Amino acid sequence: MALSQEIFEKLRILTDAAKYDVACTSSGSSRRGAEGMMGNTVAAGICHCFSADGRCISLLKILQTNECVFDCRYCINRCSNDVPRASFTPEEIAELTVSFYRRNYIEGLFLSSGINKNPDYTMEQIYQAVYLLRTKHRFNGYIHVKAIPGADSLLIEKTGWLADRMSVNLELPTAEGLRALAPQKNRRKILTPMRQIQMGRRESQLMGGYRRGRISEEPRKRFAGDGAGGSLLDSGGSLPVPDSRLLVSDGMAKLPALSENSLYSLQESHSESSFVPAGQSTQMIVGASGESDYEILHVAEALYQQFELKRVFYSAFVNTTRDSMLPDTAGSGPPLLREHRLYQADFLMRYYQFRAEEILTPEHPDLDVQVDPKCSWALNHLENFPVEVQTADYHTLLRIPGVGVKSARRILAARKMGSLDYSSLKKFGVVLKRAMYFITCNGKMMMPVRLNKNFILANLLGLNEKLPPGVRGGRTYRQMTLFDTGQIAGREGG
């Protein structure tokens, strides 16, 4: 397909308009190339820039349209904003994707959209584009699309059987912030497709197990009786914190139950595929409204627990609309360091068995910009340290700064074979320049250090983490004396 001037101009406008959506991630699904099909997808492969094996790859990341009927104050595509507008037809999206793939420009498609006319029309356009790719062009590569809040549930389900990943943007962490900055949107419409995708994935997994003979008929019938609403909504779906502003399922109604026949109609027509096999994700804008990091992390934790999301993405706010109700980022730029710390805290919840209430409290509602959240937690809980790596369990090892998931597992496996030392810990991937303050190995610390918060923090800040100018100047420390090195932690022996 030769790009006409009109198509090229649309591409320029709609790729630029899509850059504020950060919900691109590794694909999370694997699919081999098939006879008569074009392309494949690898679980470690599709992302913004680099795959897990270091390859630089890319998605075609575009909006279907930047014409939007909503007037969200934070969005550059709001209907009252004077920007160039353009729309792709489903045929143009399909042909662009295939043309770029054949030229080895891309390995997949990330497709989002403004709300053109109404949610149903927009979702229908997205579905048609994905349908053309999968059927007419036989494209077997990775596809990530947006589920449009307020769209008909049948359109979302039909799209889910063709896409690898779907996402619904939460937009702002609290319903209060959404009402203030995007009054045409509401939390119920956003969470309803999230719940539908969650239940659809469960049904798909159940049907897959039933077809393979791994589950009996009885659980299948019991699940059908639950309907698509499920018991998760009956419980209210509120967060385990007392603040009513943080309710995730604010005003959300139960989804209608489906009959035995309708529940499996689309599953049977897609017997060889899975419903949204790579899972769903969402995005929250950080810094547009007044939520603290404490509130943001509790909302993210609730989304993981109640909606089984794969990822929550955090997007540092950029004031592109110059709205008077929004913070001015023209001088300081977006809060990228805050975004970075939120991602680190998010990883602690997802992989390191931390709870949001452990990372932050109402008394200390914001993350420390000077050190990462794990080091900050350790410095505030020095009573738990030093940890003896020869005897500590997996949960305790994960809480040591400088010890990751892989290195913790290697420690557990290696100590069954014999005694550990610091050289072996370094080989396992332990970052000793962080961990040395918090561990003992066979009863000995790596070197005599004082188990003191100010002392450890001063040394951690000397590890040359790239922080913006002025961040390091937030605290002062007294000069060390000759007597400090002699005050070794009293628990050094174990």
Side-chain angles (χ1 to χ4, degrees):
M1 170 186 172
L3 289 182
S4 66
Q5 189 63 32
E6 180 186 3
I7 295 294
F8 187 82
E9 182 63 17
K10 286 183 182 181
L11 191 62
R12 184 189 65 81
I13 293 171
L14 295 175
T15 52
D16 183 70
K19 67 184 179 184
Y20 299 103
D21 197 324
V22 299
C24 282
T25 183
S26 57
S27 66
S29 62
S30 295
R31 186 169 52 253
R32 293 179 177 275
E35 184 177 354
M37 303 288 286
M38 177 178 60
N40 58 22
T41 182
V42 182
I46 306 299
C47 63
H48 249 337
C49 298
F50 298 96
S51 67
D53 59 3
R55 292 181 301 117
C56 182
I57 58 178
S58 60
L59 300 172
L60 174 60
K61 183 180 178 185
I62 56 173
L63 297 184
Q64 188 271 328
T65 181
N66 67 342
E67 298 181 28
C68 192
V69 298
F70 291 162
D71 198 27
C72 306
R73 292 181 178 273
Y74 49 82
C75 182
I76 193 172
N77 297 315
R78 60 188 292 189
C79 62
S80 61
N81 212 19
D82 185 16
V83 296
R85 306 286 178 172
S87 297
F88 279 127
T89 65
E91 291 79 8
E92 288 171 339
I93 294 172
E95 291 178 5
L96 271 174
T97 303
V98 171
S99 297
F100 278 32
Y101 179 84
R102 284 173 173 161
R103 289 167 173 79
N104 203 29
Y105 293 162
I106 61 168
E107 294 191 44
L109 171 68
F110 180 99
L111 181 59
S112 184
S113 182
I115 310 301
N116 189 10
K117 298 183 179 179
N118 56 66
D120 283 343
Y121 176 82
T122 305
M123 195 70 227
E124 174 68 25
Q125 293 291 294
I126 291 175
Y127 167 71
Q128 289 293 340
V130 178
Y131 180 81
L132 286 171
L133 277 168
R134 294 297 196 209
T135 57
K136 178 181 177 181
H137 297 284
R138 310 293 290 170
F139 182 71
N140 203 37
Y142 177 74
I143 298 178
H144 179 167
V145 299
K146 291 292 179 181
I148 305 299
D152 188 270
S153 59
L154 181 60
L155 286 171
I156 293 175
E157 184 164 3
K158 288 165 65 177
T159 306
W161 286 106
L162 300 174
D164 290 287
R165 172 164 288 178
M166 297 185 76
S167 54
V168 187
N169 283 353
L170 192 65
E171 306 287 359
L172 297 168
T174 62
E176 180 182 289
L178 199 66
R179 284 191 291 268
L181 300 182
Q184 294 165 293
K185 297 180 179 179
N186 65 71
R187 187 62 65 85
R188 175 182 174 179
K189 287 185 178 179
I190 292 173
L191 294 178
T192 298
M194 280 190 189
R195 180 68 83 219
Q196 181 185 356
I197 295 169
Q198 176 194 21
M199 302 308 293
R201 279 173 48 78
R202 288 186 178 183
E203 295 165 14
S204 174
Q205 291 165 4
L206 187 71
M207 286 300 295
Y210 176 73
R211 285 192 295 267
R212 292 187 292 270
R214 296 178 181 174
I215 60 173
S216 64
E217 179 77 13
E218 188 60 29
R220 177 176 180 260
K221 290 182 178 179
R222 286 203 305 270
F223 187 89
D226 289 341
S231 61
L232 290 174
L233 293 181
D234 299 334
S235 63
S238 62
L239 286 166
V241 289
D243 192 344
S244 61
R245 296 198 318 132
L246 304 186
L247 295 181
V248 166
S249 53
D250 181 26
M252 183 176 174
K254 181 177 179 180
L255 295 178
L258 301 178
S259 67
E260 173 76 9
N261 291 331
S262 62
L263 183 63
Y264 300 105
S265 58
L266 282 173
Q267 284 93 327
E268 295 302 333
S269 64
H270 294 273
S271 59
E272 299 302 320
S273 60
S274 299
F275 185 82
V276 195
Q280 64 171 321
S281 59
T282 192
Q283 173 182 328
M284 286 190 282
I285 300 171
V286 175
S289 45
E291 293 86 7
S292 65
D293 295 339
Y294 169 81
E295 295 172 299
I296 292 172
L297 287 183
H298 273 85
V299 171
E301 184 178 60
L303 290 170
Y304 286 129
Q305 293 175 351
Q306 299 176 21
F307 292 86
E308 301 170 8
L309 266 65
K310 293 293 185 181
R311 283 291 302 271
V312 174
F313 291 88
Y314 308 94
S315 176
F317 171 66
V318 181
N319 193 342
T320 58
T321 63
R322 300 294 181 263
D323 192 285
S324 59
M325 288 186 64
L326 299 172
D328 186 11
T329 61
S332 59
L336 294 177
L337 182 57
R338 184 187 183 192
E339 175 190 298
H340 177 59
R341 295 300 185 213
L342 283 169
Y343 274 116
Q344 290 176 321
D346 188 271
F347 267 71
L348 292 184
M349 294 191 296
R350 291 167 58 213
Y351 297 116
Y352 289 83
Q353 303 180 0
F354 278 80
R355 301 188 307 276
E357 63 189 22
E358 295 179 283
I359 302 172
L360 292 171
T361 64
E363 295 74 28
H364 299 90
D366 294 310
L367 295 167
D368 192 335
V369 295
Q370 291 186 307
V371 293
D372 66 85
K374 193 177 182 183
C375 283
S376 179
W377 178 87
L379 289 170
N380 290 320
H381 295 83
L382 288 177
E383 68 276 7
N384 298 324
F385 300 99
V387 170
E388 173 53 58
V389 295
Q390 280 286 162
T391 58
D393 59 24
Y394 180 66
H395 174 78
T396 304
L397 289 173
L398 286 179
R399 293 181 173 241
I400 303 171
V403 177
V405 174
K406 290 183 179 179
S407 53
R409 290 173 180 168
R410 289 167 181 165
I411 290 171
L412 291 177
R415 71 189 189 190
K416 294 178 182 178
M417 308 297 179
S419 181
L420 302 177
D421 56 32
Y422 284 101
S423 62
S424 60
L425 292 180
K426 185 175 182 180
K427 292 177 182 177
F428 297 156
V430 176
V431 183
L432 289 176
K433 62 185 180 181
R434 293 181 182 274
M436 60 182 286
Y437 306 101
F438 305 99
I439 63 173
T440 59
C441 189
N442 293 312
K444 297 180 181 180
M445 301 193 83
M446 185 175 173
M447 62 180 63
V449 295
R450 186 182 178 202
L451 202 63
N452 173 274
K453 181 177 180 179
N454 282 343
F455 170 77
I456 297 173
L457 179 58
N459 283 275
L460 290 176
L461 290 178
L463 297 180
N464 297 322
E465 182 181 8
K466 292 181 180 179
L467 298 177
V471 171
R472 294 177 183 271
R475 299 181 184 177
T476 59
Y477 309 95
R478 67 175 179 84
Q479 184 175 354
M480 289 180 61
T481 70
L482 293 174
F483 300 100
D484 286 337
T485 56
Q487 299 176 9
I488 310 305
R491 288 172 288 174
E492 179 181 338

